[in-house]
Every structure is written in C-alpha cells, then in structure tokens.
Amino acid sequence: MIPAALVLLSFLRMDAQSGRVLERQWQDDSPMHPGSLAKPFIALAYAQSHQFRFPEIRCARCWLPRGHGTIGPREAIAQSCNTYFDTLRAALGPGELDAVARRFGLRGVDEARPEELLRAYIELSRRAAEPGVNVILEGMRLAARSGTAKRVGHDALAKTGTAPCMHVPKAAGDGFVVVLYPAVQPRVAVLLRLHGRPGSYAAAEASRLLQ
Ligand SMILES: [Zn+2]
C-alpha cells in the first residue's frame, strides 16, 4: 500500500461561475499556509487604506537573487516579488488584512482551507469593477502571460506560490498555483499543489485541467 503522504499532486477544480466543485483530488481539507497566494489580498488591503494607489518599490534582493529592480503592482504580482508585498504588508494597520480576508471568505491570509482559498480567488475575479481589483487581475494575467505562471500556456489569470511542505518525507517546499480560465469571465478555476517543486511547475500541471 502506498502511504497517503506520498501523493505528489493535489488539485481542486471548480466551476468559476457557479462555484460548484467539478473535481477534487485533495486528500484532506485541513488549513494550509497560502504563502504567495495571499499576495493579491495583501495588495487589496493596501489599496483600500492608501486611496487605491500602489507604490513603485525597489527590490534589490528577493527569491530572485539579483532582485526585481524597481517594480509596480502588476509586475510584482506577475513576478511574485517578496520585497514588494513585504513592504505593502508592513504598511497595513492592525486588522486591515484580516478584514479583507474575511470579506473573501478567508479566516486570515496566513491560513486557509484549499476550497476557501480557491473561492476567494473566484470572488476576486468577480469584483473586477471594484476599486483596486482590476490592477491585481491585470497582474495575474501578466503572471500567466510572462510571469511565474507562464507555463500555464493559456490566456488566464494566475498566481503561483510556494509553501512549507506538509508531506512526509518533507521536501524543501510545495509549489502552488491558482488559475482562472479564460482570463475574461473565467469558467474554470483550479488550485493545484505539487510536492517538492516550485509554483512554476505547478502552473504547467494545471494547464491540463482548464477545460
Ligand atoms: Zn523582488
């Protein structure tokens, strides 16, 4: 018997219009650390408390050792710049981030169940007309086009992440991706986790689940 802990790929596929779960290959629904998948909600919390204006920030060092250079919100989402979102998060008052998280059905941005997290992204895509949201969605489209999620290979809205591995034996990290497809009025939403690989690889795996 193969131990349950050795399943390498988990995913959840939803109808982005109705919110119905179409397919689930996720062993448990226990809360996980969303890692970089929290960044769009950090961006929105920042926007709400700063007149919906995003800064440009100089990133000299990041997960990309040479840094991302001077970077604005769209590129920061597309390239998943840690410096950018650490700076935004540090500028938030107590409770501001939690308030945004709760509005999207999350208990917080540092812990979320897989289904809640995917629903939060579907909700984000539905609120394109709200202040601050469109910039974030543009960043996600850029992520799928030329950023960390480009291996998704479709015109989609996407965000990658890497989070501490929850498996045994433990890997350096698990890659995550959220993909909403197509980019305009998405029909399908996928959350995928790939054991021991970066989020860019998770994006490639998700591309097969978009129909
Ligand atoms: Zn950076």
Side-chain angles (χ1 to χ4, degrees):
M1 191 182 132
I2 300 170
L6 288 181
V7 172
L8 298 183
L9 186 138
S10 309
F11 68 86
L12 191 57
R13 198 161 68 90
M14 274 186 202
D15 183 319
Q17 310 276 327
S18 69
R20 195 162 57 91
V21 176
L22 300 172
E23 205 175 350
R24 166 193 285 277
Q25 180 184 304
W26 206 294
Q27 285 181 310
D28 60 75
D29 195 40
S30 56
M32 55 182 221
H33 195 292
S36 292
L37 295 184
K39 285 173 178 168
F41 303 99
I42 294 170
L44 190 56
Y46 179 92
Q48 286 183 355
S49 53
H50 294 80
Q51 295 87 45
F52 298 100
R53 283 207 290 267
F54 289 100
E56 298 223 317
I57 288 168
R58 173 142 179 80
C59 169
R61 192 172 169 79
C62 210
W63 61 262
L64 186 71
R66 65 183 156 85
H68 289 105
T70 301
I71 195 166
R74 294 172 187 82
E75 277 290 329
I77 288 176
Q79 303 301 334
S80 205
C81 177
N82 291 335
T83 304
Y84 193 88
F85 289 98
D86 288 350
T87 306
L88 260 52
R89 189 168 184 165
L92 292 174
E96 284 178 342
L97 194 47
D98 283 342
V100 167
R102 277 196 297 273
R103 199 150 59 76
F104 285 85
L106 301 168
R107 70 201 67 197
V109 296
D110 294 322
E111 191 184 76
R113 293 180 194 281
E115 199 169 316
E116 292 166 349
L117 188 59
L118 190 52
R119 284 189 196 287
Y121 268 91
I122 291 173
E123 189 60 30
L124 190 67
S125 74
R126 286 176 180 163
R127 296 190 188 195
E130 288 186 18
V133 174
N134 201 45
V135 170
I136 295 165
L137 298 179
E138 285 171 5
M140 289 177 62
R141 197 167 184 178
L142 194 58
R145 193 175 294 158
S146 59
T148 56
K150 65 175 180 246
R151 287 183 185 170
V152 83
H154 287 79
D155 186 18
L157 306 174
K159 182 76 199 77
T160 59
T162 304
C165 174
M166 310 259 281
H167 300 90
V168 182
K170 221 170 171 54
D174 289 339
F176 288 83
V177 70
V178 167
V179 186
L180 302 165
Y181 175 79
V184 179
Q185 294 184 329
R187 292 187 307 270
V188 184
V190 171
L191 170 66
L192 185 142
R193 174 179 66 187
L194 189 60
H195 170 69
R197 292 278 182 278
S200 57
Y201 286 68
E205 293 292 332
S207 68
R208 297 183 286 109
L209 298 170
L210 300 180
Q211 299 310 317

Short mmCIF file of all heavy atoms in Angstrom, two decimals, residues 70-122:
data_model
loop_
_atom_site.label_atom_id
_atom_site.label_comp_id
_atom_site.label_asym_id
_atom_site.label_seq_id
_atom_site.Cartn_x
_atom_site.Cartn_y
_atom_site.Cartn_z
N THR A 70 13.14 48.12 -9.87
CA THR A 70 12.01 48.96 -9.48
C THR A 70 10.74 48.35 -10.07
O THR A 70 10.65 48.12 -11.27
CB THR A 70 12.21 50.40 -9.97
OG1 THR A 70 13.43 50.89 -9.39
CG2 THR A 70 11.07 51.30 -9.53
N ILE A 71 9.79 48.11 -9.19
CA ILE A 71 8.67 47.28 -9.60
C ILE A 71 7.35 47.86 -9.07
O ILE A 71 7.28 48.38 -7.96
CB ILE A 71 8.94 45.82 -9.12
CG1 ILE A 71 8.03 44.82 -9.80
CG2 ILE A 71 8.90 45.70 -7.61
CD1 ILE A 71 8.50 43.37 -9.60
N GLY A 72 6.31 47.82 -9.91
CA GLY A 72 4.97 48.28 -9.54
C GLY A 72 4.06 47.08 -9.29
O GLY A 72 4.52 45.93 -9.34
N PRO A 73 2.78 47.35 -9.04
CA PRO A 73 1.90 46.27 -8.58
C PRO A 73 1.69 45.12 -9.58
O PRO A 73 1.66 43.96 -9.18
CB PRO A 73 0.58 46.99 -8.29
CG PRO A 73 0.64 48.25 -9.07
CD PRO A 73 2.08 48.64 -9.11
N ARG A 74 1.53 45.44 -10.86
CA ARG A 74 1.25 44.37 -11.84
C ARG A 74 2.43 43.41 -11.96
O ARG A 74 2.27 42.19 -11.90
CB ARG A 74 0.91 44.97 -13.19
CG ARG A 74 -0.40 45.77 -13.20
CD ARG A 74 -0.58 46.50 -14.52
NE ARG A 74 -1.73 47.40 -14.48
CZ ARG A 74 -1.71 48.62 -13.94
NH1 ARG A 74 -0.58 49.10 -13.38
NH2 ARG A 74 -2.79 49.38 -13.93
N GLU A 75 3.62 44.02 -12.15
CA GLU A 75 4.83 43.20 -12.26
C GLU A 75 5.11 42.45 -10.95
O GLU A 75 5.60 41.33 -10.97
CB GLU A 75 6.03 44.08 -12.63
CG GLU A 75 6.15 44.38 -14.11
CD GLU A 75 6.55 43.15 -14.92
OE1 GLU A 75 7.27 42.29 -14.39
OE2 GLU A 75 6.13 43.05 -16.09
N ALA A 76 4.81 43.10 -9.84
CA ALA A 76 5.08 42.47 -8.54
C ALA A 76 4.24 41.20 -8.37
O ALA A 76 4.71 40.19 -7.83
CB ALA A 76 4.83 43.44 -7.41
N ILE A 77 3.00 41.26 -8.85
CA ILE A 77 2.16 40.06 -8.80
C ILE A 77 2.65 39.05 -9.83
O ILE A 77 2.81 37.86 -9.53
CB ILE A 77 0.68 40.42 -9.04
CG1 ILE A 77 0.13 41.14 -7.79
CG2 ILE A 77 -0.16 39.17 -9.34
CD1 ILE A 77 -1.28 41.65 -7.93
N ALA A 78 2.94 39.53 -11.03
CA ALA A 78 3.37 38.61 -12.09
C ALA A 78 4.66 37.89 -11.73
O ALA A 78 4.84 36.71 -12.05
CB ALA A 78 3.54 39.37 -13.41
N GLN A 79 5.58 38.61 -11.04
CA GLN A 79 6.87 38.01 -10.68
C GLN A 79 6.90 37.53 -9.23
O GLN A 79 7.91 37.05 -8.75
CB GLN A 79 8.00 39.04 -10.90
CG GLN A 79 8.10 39.59 -12.31
CD GLN A 79 8.33 38.50 -13.35
OE1 GLN A 79 8.88 37.44 -13.06
NE2 GLN A 79 7.87 38.72 -14.59
N SER A 80 5.78 37.71 -8.53
CA SER A 80 5.66 37.31 -7.13
C SER A 80 6.81 37.85 -6.27
O SER A 80 7.47 37.12 -5.54
CB SER A 80 5.58 35.78 -7.01
OG SER A 80 4.90 35.44 -5.82
N CYS A 81 6.99 39.17 -6.35
CA CYS A 81 8.10 39.83 -5.65
C CYS A 81 7.84 39.87 -4.14
O CYS A 81 6.88 40.49 -3.68
CB CYS A 81 8.27 41.25 -6.19
SG CYS A 81 9.55 42.18 -5.33
N ASN A 82 8.70 39.24 -3.38
CA ASN A 82 8.54 39.23 -1.92
C ASN A 82 8.78 40.60 -1.30
O ASN A 82 8.07 41.01 -0.38
CB ASN A 82 9.50 38.22 -1.29
CG ASN A 82 9.12 36.80 -1.63
OD1 ASN A 82 7.95 36.51 -1.92
ND2 ASN A 82 10.09 35.90 -1.62
N THR A 83 9.79 41.31 -1.81
CA THR A 83 10.11 42.64 -1.27
C THR A 83 8.90 43.56 -1.38
O THR A 83 8.56 44.28 -0.44
CB THR A 83 11.30 43.25 -2.04
OG1 THR A 83 12.40 42.34 -1.97
CG2 THR A 83 11.72 44.59 -1.46
N TYR A 84 8.25 43.51 -2.54
CA TYR A 84 7.10 44.38 -2.77
C TYR A 84 5.99 44.11 -1.75
O TYR A 84 5.49 45.03 -1.09
CB TYR A 84 6.57 44.17 -4.20
CG TYR A 84 5.58 45.23 -4.62
CD1 TYR A 84 6.02 46.41 -5.23
CD2 TYR A 84 4.22 45.08 -4.41
CE1 TYR A 84 5.12 47.40 -5.61
CE2 TYR A 84 3.32 46.06 -4.77
CZ TYR A 84 3.77 47.21 -5.38
OH TYR A 84 2.89 48.20 -5.74
N PHE A 85 5.64 42.86 -1.58
CA PHE A 85 4.50 42.55 -0.72
C PHE A 85 4.85 42.61 0.77
O PHE A 85 3.99 42.92 1.58
CB PHE A 85 3.86 41.22 -1.14
CG PHE A 85 3.17 41.37 -2.45
CD1 PHE A 85 3.79 40.98 -3.63
CD2 PHE A 85 1.93 41.98 -2.53
CE1 PHE A 85 3.16 41.16 -4.85
CE2 PHE A 85 1.30 42.18 -3.75
CZ PHE A 85 1.92 41.77 -4.91
N ASP A 86 6.12 42.36 1.11
CA ASP A 86 6.53 42.57 2.49
C ASP A 86 6.40 44.04 2.86
O ASP A 86 5.98 44.40 3.97
CB ASP A 86 7.99 42.12 2.70
CG ASP A 86 8.12 40.61 2.67
OD1 ASP A 86 7.08 39.91 2.67
OD2 ASP A 86 9.27 40.11 2.61
N THR A 87 6.76 44.92 1.91
CA THR A 87 6.66 46.37 2.14
C THR A 87 5.21 46.80 2.29
O THR A 87 4.85 47.56 3.20
CB THR A 87 7.34 47.13 0.99
OG1 THR A 87 8.67 46.65 0.83
CG2 THR A 87 7.37 48.63 1.25
N LEU A 88 4.36 46.30 1.39
CA LEU A 88 2.93 46.65 1.47
C LEU A 88 2.34 46.17 2.79
O LEU A 88 1.60 46.89 3.47
CB LEU A 88 2.17 46.01 0.29
CG LEU A 88 1.85 46.91 -0.90
CD1 LEU A 88 3.07 47.64 -1.43
CD2 LEU A 88 1.16 46.12 -2.00
N ARG A 89 2.68 44.94 3.15
CA ARG A 89 2.10 44.37 4.36
C ARG A 89 2.52 45.15 5.60
O ARG A 89 1.73 45.35 6.53
CB ARG A 89 2.50 42.90 4.48
CG ARG A 89 1.75 42.20 5.58
CD ARG A 89 1.92 40.69 5.51
NE ARG A 89 1.10 40.08 6.55
CZ ARG A 89 0.78 38.80 6.61
NH1 ARG A 89 1.19 37.98 5.67
NH2 ARG A 89 0.02 38.33 7.57
N ALA A 90 3.78 45.59 5.60
CA ALA A 90 4.29 46.34 6.76
C ALA A 90 3.59 47.69 6.92
O ALA A 90 3.61 48.28 8.00
CB ALA A 90 5.80 46.54 6.60
N ALA A 91 2.98 48.18 5.85
CA ALA A 91 2.31 49.48 5.90
C ALA A 91 0.84 49.37 6.33
O ALA A 91 0.14 50.37 6.41
CB ALA A 91 2.38 50.15 4.52
N LEU A 92 0.39 48.16 6.60
CA LEU A 92 -1.01 47.96 6.97
C LEU A 92 -1.21 48.12 8.48
O LEU A 92 -0.36 47.72 9.26
CB LEU A 92 -1.49 46.57 6.54
CG LEU A 92 -1.57 46.35 5.04
CD1 LEU A 92 -1.91 44.89 4.74
CD2 LEU A 92 -2.61 47.27 4.42
N GLY A 93 -2.35 48.68 8.83
CA GLY A 93 -2.71 48.78 10.24
C GLY A 93 -3.25 47.45 10.75
O GLY A 93 -3.62 46.59 9.96
N PRO A 94 -3.31 47.31 12.07
CA PRO A 94 -3.81 46.06 12.63
C PRO A 94 -5.25 45.80 12.18
O PRO A 94 -6.06 46.70 12.16
CB PRO A 94 -3.72 46.29 14.15
CG PRO A 94 -3.54 47.75 14.35
CD PRO A 94 -2.95 48.29 13.09
N GLY A 95 -5.50 44.58 11.77
CA GLY A 95 -6.87 44.22 11.40
C GLY A 95 -7.24 44.49 9.96
O GLY A 95 -8.21 43.95 9.45
N GLU A 96 -6.45 45.33 9.25
CA GLU A 96 -6.85 45.67 7.87
C GLU A 96 -6.79 44.47 6.94
O GLU A 96 -7.65 44.29 6.07
CB GLU A 96 -5.94 46.80 7.35
CG GLU A 96 -6.30 48.15 7.93
CD GLU A 96 -5.39 49.29 7.46
OE1 GLU A 96 -4.28 49.02 6.97
OE2 GLU A 96 -5.81 50.44 7.61
N LEU A 97 -5.77 43.66 7.13
CA LEU A 97 -5.62 42.49 6.28
C LEU A 97 -6.69 41.44 6.60
O LEU A 97 -7.29 40.85 5.70
CB LEU A 97 -4.21 41.92 6.48
CG LEU A 97 -3.70 40.91 5.47
CD1 LEU A 97 -3.95 41.36 4.04
CD2 LEU A 97 -2.21 40.68 5.70
N ASP A 98 -6.93 41.25 7.88
CA ASP A 98 -7.96 40.28 8.28
C ASP A 98 -9.33 40.68 7.76
O ASP A 98 -10.13 39.82 7.38
CB ASP A 98 -8.01 40.16 9.81
CG ASP A 98 -6.86 39.32 10.35
OD1 ASP A 98 -6.25 38.57 9.55
OD2 ASP A 98 -6.58 39.42 11.54
N ALA A 99 -9.61 41.98 7.76
CA ALA A 99 -10.92 42.44 7.29
C ALA A 99 -11.11 42.10 5.82
O ALA A 99 -12.19 41.65 5.41
CB ALA A 99 -11.05 43.95 7.52
N VAL A 100 -10.07 42.29 5.01
CA VAL A 100 -10.16 41.94 3.59
C VAL A 100 -10.29 40.42 3.43
O VAL A 100 -11.13 39.93 2.67
CB VAL A 100 -8.93 42.47 2.81
CG1 VAL A 100 -8.85 41.85 1.42
CG2 VAL A 100 -9.01 43.98 2.71
N ALA A 101 -9.49 39.69 4.18
CA ALA A 101 -9.55 38.23 4.10
C ALA A 101 -10.97 37.74 4.39
O ALA A 101 -11.52 36.92 3.65
CB ALA A 101 -8.55 37.61 5.07
N ARG A 102 -11.55 38.25 5.44
CA ARG A 102 -12.89 37.79 5.83
C ARG A 102 -13.94 38.13 4.77
O ARG A 102 -14.87 37.37 4.54
CB ARG A 102 -13.29 38.39 7.18
CG ARG A 102 -12.71 37.59 8.36
CD ARG A 102 -13.41 37.96 9.66
NE ARG A 102 -13.19 39.37 9.99
CZ ARG A 102 -12.14 39.80 10.69
NH1 ARG A 102 -11.23 38.96 11.12
NH2 ARG A 102 -12.00 41.09 10.95
N ARG A 103 -13.76 39.28 4.12
CA ARG A 103 -14.71 39.67 3.08
C ARG A 103 -14.68 38.68 1.89
O ARG A 103 -15.63 38.54 1.15
CB ARG A 103 -14.36 41.10 2.59
CG ARG A 103 -15.47 41.79 1.87
CD ARG A 103 -15.40 43.30 2.07
NE ARG A 103 -14.15 43.90 1.61
CZ ARG A 103 -13.85 44.12 0.34
NH1 ARG A 103 -14.68 43.79 -0.61
NH2 ARG A 103 -12.71 44.68 0.03
N PHE A 104 -13.56 37.98 1.77
CA PHE A 104 -13.43 36.99 0.70
C PHE A 104 -13.58 35.57 1.23
O PHE A 104 -13.22 34.61 0.56
CB PHE A 104 -12.09 37.18 -0.02
CG PHE A 104 -12.09 38.38 -0.93
CD1 PHE A 104 -11.79 39.64 -0.42
CD2 PHE A 104 -12.44 38.26 -2.27
CE1 PHE A 104 -11.82 40.76 -1.24
CE2 PHE A 104 -12.47 39.37 -3.09
CZ PHE A 104 -12.16 40.62 -2.58
N GLY A 105 -14.12 35.45 2.42
CA GLY A 105 -14.42 34.13 2.97
C GLY A 105 -13.24 33.40 3.58
O GLY A 105 -13.31 32.19 3.81
N LEU A 106 -12.15 34.14 3.83
CA LEU A 106 -10.97 33.52 4.44
C LEU A 106 -10.91 33.90 5.91
O LEU A 106 -11.27 35.01 6.27
CB LEU A 106 -9.68 34.01 3.75
CG LEU A 106 -9.57 33.75 2.25
CD1 LEU A 106 -8.40 34.55 1.67
CD2 LEU A 106 -9.38 32.25 1.99
N ARG A 107 -10.39 33.00 6.75
CA ARG A 107 -10.26 33.38 8.16
C ARG A 107 -9.08 34.32 8.37
O ARG A 107 -9.03 35.09 9.30
CB ARG A 107 -10.13 32.13 9.04
CG ARG A 107 -8.82 31.40 8.86
CD ARG A 107 -8.94 29.98 9.33
NE ARG A 107 -9.84 29.25 8.44
CZ ARG A 107 -10.40 28.12 8.76
NH1 ARG A 107 -10.20 27.58 9.93
NH2 ARG A 107 -11.18 27.51 7.89
N GLY A 108 -8.11 34.22 7.47
CA GLY A 108 -6.94 35.09 7.51
C GLY A 108 -6.12 34.79 6.27
O GLY A 108 -6.47 33.90 5.52
N VAL A 109 -5.05 35.54 6.04
CA VAL A 109 -4.27 35.28 4.82
C VAL A 109 -3.12 34.31 5.08
O VAL A 109 -2.42 33.92 4.16
CB VAL A 109 -3.71 36.56 4.17
CG1 VAL A 109 -4.83 37.46 3.69
CG2 VAL A 109 -2.77 37.27 5.11
N ASP A 110 -2.91 33.92 6.33
CA ASP A 110 -1.79 33.01 6.62
C ASP A 110 -2.25 31.57 6.85
O ASP A 110 -1.45 30.69 7.11
CB ASP A 110 -1.02 33.51 7.84
CG ASP A 110 -0.34 34.84 7.55
OD1 ASP A 110 0.15 35.00 6.42
OD2 ASP A 110 -0.33 35.72 8.42
N GLU A 111 -3.54 31.36 6.75
CA GLU A 111 -4.07 30.02 6.94
C GLU A 111 -5.42 29.94 6.23
O GLU A 111 -6.29 30.76 6.49
CB GLU A 111 -4.26 29.74 8.43
CG GLU A 111 -4.55 28.29 8.73
CD GLU A 111 -4.83 28.08 10.21
OE1 GLU A 111 -5.92 28.44 10.66
OE2 GLU A 111 -3.94 27.56 10.87
N ALA A 112 -5.54 28.98 5.31
CA ALA A 112 -6.80 28.86 4.59
C ALA A 112 -7.00 27.42 4.14
O ALA A 112 -6.04 26.73 3.82
CB ALA A 112 -6.81 29.79 3.38
N ARG A 113 -8.22 26.99 4.12
CA ARG A 113 -8.52 25.69 3.54
C ARG A 113 -8.49 25.82 2.02
O ARG A 113 -8.85 26.88 1.48
CB ARG A 113 -9.90 25.21 4.00
CG ARG A 113 -9.95 24.91 5.48
CD ARG A 113 -11.33 24.42 5.90
NE ARG A 113 -11.47 24.46 7.34
CZ ARG A 113 -10.98 23.54 8.16
NH1 ARG A 113 -10.33 22.51 7.69
NH2 ARG A 113 -11.12 23.66 9.47
N PRO A 114 -8.10 24.75 1.34
CA PRO A 114 -7.97 24.83 -0.12
C PRO A 114 -9.23 25.37 -0.82
O PRO A 114 -9.14 26.24 -1.69
CB PRO A 114 -7.70 23.37 -0.52
CG PRO A 114 -7.11 22.74 0.69
CD PRO A 114 -7.69 23.45 1.87
N GLU A 115 -10.38 24.85 -0.40
CA GLU A 115 -11.61 25.27 -1.07
C GLU A 115 -11.92 26.74 -0.81
O GLU A 115 -12.34 27.47 -1.71
CB GLU A 115 -12.76 24.38 -0.58
CG GLU A 115 -13.94 24.41 -1.51
CD GLU A 115 -14.97 23.33 -1.17
OE1 GLU A 115 -14.57 22.17 -0.92
OE2 GLU A 115 -16.16 23.66 -1.17
N GLU A 116 -11.66 27.19 0.40
CA GLU A 116 -11.89 28.60 0.73
C GLU A 116 -10.98 29.50 -0.10
O GLU A 116 -11.41 30.56 -0.57
CB GLU A 116 -11.59 28.85 2.22
CG GLU A 116 -12.55 28.21 3.17
CD GLU A 116 -12.03 28.22 4.62
OE1 GLU A 116 -10.85 28.53 4.86
OE2 GLU A 116 -12.83 27.88 5.50
N LEU A 117 -9.76 29.06 -0.26
CA LEU A 117 -8.78 29.87 -0.98
C LEU A 117 -9.19 30.02 -2.45
O LEU A 117 -9.15 31.11 -3.01
CB LEU A 117 -7.41 29.22 -0.85
CG LEU A 117 -6.22 30.01 -1.38
CD1 LEU A 117 -6.09 31.37 -0.67
CD2 LEU A 117 -4.93 29.21 -1.20
N LEU A 118 -9.60 28.91 -3.06
CA LEU A 118 -10.00 28.98 -4.46
C LEU A 118 -11.26 29.83 -4.63
O LEU A 118 -11.37 30.62 -5.56
CB LEU A 118 -10.21 27.57 -5.02
CG LEU A 118 -10.39 27.48 -6.53
CD1 LEU A 118 -9.29 28.19 -7.30
CD2 LEU A 118 -10.50 26.03 -6.98
N ARG A 119 -12.19 29.69 -3.68
CA ARG A 119 -13.40 30.52 -3.74
C ARG A 119 -13.06 32.01 -3.59
O ARG A 119 -13.70 32.87 -4.20
CB ARG A 119 -14.38 30.11 -2.64
CG ARG A 119 -15.10 28.83 -2.96
CD ARG A 119 -16.22 28.53 -1.97
NE ARG A 119 -16.61 27.14 -2.08
CZ ARG A 119 -17.30 26.65 -3.10
NH1 ARG A 119 -17.71 27.45 -4.07
NH2 ARG A 119 -17.59 25.36 -3.16
N ALA A 120 -12.07 32.32 -2.78
CA ALA A 120 -11.67 33.71 -2.59
C ALA A 120 -11.16 34.30 -3.91
O ALA A 120 -11.45 35.46 -4.25
CB ALA A 120 -10.60 33.81 -1.50
N TYR A 121 -10.43 33.50 -4.66
CA TYR A 121 -9.94 33.95 -5.97
C TYR A 121 -11.08 34.11 -6.98
O TYR A 121 -11.08 35.05 -7.78
CB TYR A 121 -8.90 32.97 -6.52
CG TYR A 121 -7.48 33.33 -6.13
CD1 TYR A 121 -6.90 32.83 -4.98
CD2 TYR A 121 -6.71 34.17 -6.93
CE1 TYR A 121 -5.60 33.15 -4.62
CE2 TYR A 121 -5.42 34.50 -6.58
CZ TYR A 121 -4.85 33.99 -5.43
OH TYR A 121 -3.58 34.32 -5.09
N ILE A 122 -12.03 33.21 -6.94
CA ILE A 122 -13.19 33.35 -7.83
C ILE A 122 -13.92 34.65 -7.51
O ILE A 122 -14.28 35.42 -8.40
CB ILE A 122 -14.13 32.13 -7.68
CG1 ILE A 122 -13.47 30.87 -8.26
CG2 ILE A 122 -15.46 32.39 -8.38
CD1 ILE A 122 -14.25 29.58 -8.02
#
